[in-house]
Amino acid sequence: MTTADPKHSFHALRIADVIQETSDARSFSFEVPRELEALFQYVPGQFLTFEIPWQSLHLHRCYSLSSAPGCDPLLKVTVKRVERGRVSNWFNDELAPGKTLAVKPPEGLFVLRKGELERPLVMFGGGSGITPIVSLIKSALTSTRRPIKLVYANRDRDSIIFRTELESWRARFPGRLQIAHHLDAEQGFMHAANAKDHFAGLEHADFYICGPGPFMDVVEAALEERKVGRGHIFIERFVSPADPDRVPVEPEPAAKPAASVAASYVCMLEGTRHEVPVAPGETLLAAAKRAGLEPSFSCEEGYCGCCMAQLRRGTVKMRTHDALTAKDLAKGWVLACQSRLEGEEEVELDFDARY
Ligand SMILES: Cc1cc2nc3c(=O)[nH]c(=O)nc-3n(C[C@H](O)[C@H](O)[C@H](O)COP(=O)(O)OP(=O)(O)OC[C@H]3O[C@@H](n4cnc5c(N)ncnc54)[C@H](O)[C@@H]3O)c2cc1C
């Protein structure tokens, strides 16, 4: 269950409290032992990864923190049932205060950008996608002067998670938080025209989006139509790592290997330099894992940013880099799960670099 580096390892946390938020969502708060407090410090918008024993397997699931430092005394995640979902239903049916879970320290890049203290915030949340957003809202209200608009889509009124909590934050900060509910049962699914209406006049804002895939596609399309710069759009996709018994149907597209592509790279991890062999077309994350190394990773689709590393030498080719901003790219940050070697020059990737 553990690796050498505690930030990449699972640690036992005890459930302090379970809160029934709606008929199909519960929040779980955790006690963090004093010796783990520094490791479990987090930034609003980050998530925890849980390791759940399931029959003969260990399943890994990420859950965003719905708490915010300085606003909530304990770390809290909120889990909504997914139809036939293994872990989400287990959380909702089986867990009670006192139970201990294996949890990896907070990770993720769906966070407020520093230096943007005045720019308005527009948050699009759908269903359980509200969890990182409520954390960002609490933090932005209490630590900045930024005006916030939340557009919150749900099936119906009874499925609105944190309805009361959000109302109390709105009341506590008059004029700072505007909330627009969208209920599918009354208005149908949100489409691009609705989304555009919600942010009319706020095109200069920072946008944070988290929710079901089709909802996020609609919002992204609306932002694109309004020419909102990619650097101001932050997206969290709830895509969990593939389970050991559910091999992805589509294998990674193997890039046509050129004779002139290097066959290894230098990987700095936990203070040690490793020469990692890379098979043709293989990603640098896959190569590191195959070499027995354990860098941090989660979605492996370029969305979560957990496998971010700094390119110290050489160049790599990334298939996608949704989790990175233009500034990140300019500073040499890459996503190891999307990076492949593309030339003969030596490549060095530093997984120890601090963001
Ligand atoms: C960064 C991040 C943050 C997240 N934060 C949250 C959060 O705050 N709250 C939250 O509720 N969720 C969150 N999620 C989603 C969460 O991690 C899980 O993906 C979700 O709870 C579903 O897990 P599950 O085990 O219940 O479902 P799974 O068992 O993984 O099932 C998912 C779907 O696959 C279907 N399925 C069934 N059998 C198969 C099969 N053989 N092969 C393939 N698919 C099958 C199931 O029917 C179901 O519809 C987050 C995800 C990420 C990546």
Side-chain angles (χ1 to χ4, degrees), residues 47 61-64 78-80 82-88 128 131 236-240 246:
F47 61 86
R61 291 290 183 276
C62 309
Y63 290 105
S64 299
T78 305
V79 181
K80 182 169 174 171
V82 168
E83 207 183 325
R84 295 189 307 281
R86 307 196 247 195
V87 174
S88 57
S128 61
T131 48
E236 185 75 305
R237 295 181 200 272
F238 281 0
V239 185
S240 280
R246 291 182 186 174

Side-chain angles (χ1 to χ4, degrees), residues 195-214:
K196 275 189 285 189
D197 288 347
H198 282 301
F199 65 83
L202 288 168
E203 288 81 355
H204 59 299
D206 274 348
F207 290 84
Y208 286 77
I209 313 168
C210 186

Side-chain angles (χ1 to χ4, degrees), residues 261-281:
V261 173
S264 68
Y265 77 103
V266 174
C267 169
M268 289 300 301
L269 183 67
E270 292 160 24
T272 307
R273 184 179 192 279
H274 307 268
E275 184 80 31
V276 174
V278 184

Side-chain angles (χ1 to χ4, degrees), residues 234-256:
F234 306 97
I235 296 172
E236 185 75 305
R237 295 181 200 272
F238 281 0
V239 185
S240 280
D243 292 342
D245 62 335
R246 291 182 186 174
V247 181
V249 186
E250 284 192 44
E252 283 285 302
K256 195 165 165 266

Side-chain angles (χ1 to χ4, degrees), residues 59-97:
L59 304 183
H60 289 172
R61 291 290 183 276
C62 309
Y63 290 105
S64 299
L65 286 149
S66 51
S67 52
C71 301
D72 300 286
L74 299 177
L75 271 75
K76 185 176 70 172
V77 298
T78 305
V79 181
K80 182 169 174 171
R81 286 181 194 275
V82 168
E83 207 183 325
R84 295 189 307 281
R86 307 196 247 195
V87 174
S88 57
N89 288 295
W90 180 82
F91 260 79
N92 275 275
D93 293 330
E94 304 295 334
L95 294 184

